[in-house]
Amino acid sequence: MLLWMWLCVVNVFGFCSAVYDKRLAKKGARRTPERRFTLYAALGGAAGVLLAFYIVRHKTKHFKLLVTIWGLLCINMLIVAFAVVRLSAMGV
């Protein structure tokens, strides 16, 4: 249960951060560092970050960043799959 709550929170933060950064980009204001998007993705929020990038068409030409986030999404999915299998084996 805690895992799902964590994933929801970090994905919402990642999504909102990307959408907010897009708004800042349109205004020409100071931007969110790409490192922060990578951090959210590494903490489990890769899906939220990617979803926002493609919905608001933000940073979709930054190939290195996109490859990094997609890679972290794959790692996130493997970790969640492993956790689900382990928890179901424990009867939780």
Side-chain angles (χ1 to χ4, degrees):
M1 183 66 162
L2 188 60
L3 172 66
W4 300 119
M5 289 182 356
W6 171 257
L7 289 173
C8 285
V9 168
V10 76
N11 275 286
V12 167
F13 269 92
F15 183 90
C16 291
S17 180
V19 171
Y20 181 65
D21 188 54
K22 176 66 174 190
R23 295 180 97 195
L24 291 176
K26 285 183 175 181
K27 292 179 181 180
R30 188 171 180 166
R31 307 282 302 284
T32 304
E34 289 182 357
R35 240 178 288 148
R36 185 160 305 151
F37 297 124
T38 304
L39 176 64
Y40 287 135
L43 293 174
V49 170
L50 279 173
L51 188 63
F53 280 178
Y54 287 106
I55 286 176
V56 297
R57 294 184 193 179
H58 188 52
K59 299 205 178 274
T60 54
K61 293 184 180 180
H62 295 236
F63 183 75
K64 186 177 176 183
L65 177 64
L66 287 176
V67 168
T68 302
I69 303 295
W70 275 105
L72 288 169
L73 177 64
C74 292
I75 292 169
N76 289 175
M77 290 175 12
L78 288 172
I79 291 170
V80 169
F82 178 76
V84 167
V85 168
R86 290 286 292 174
L87 289 173
S88 65
M90 293 171 40
V92 175

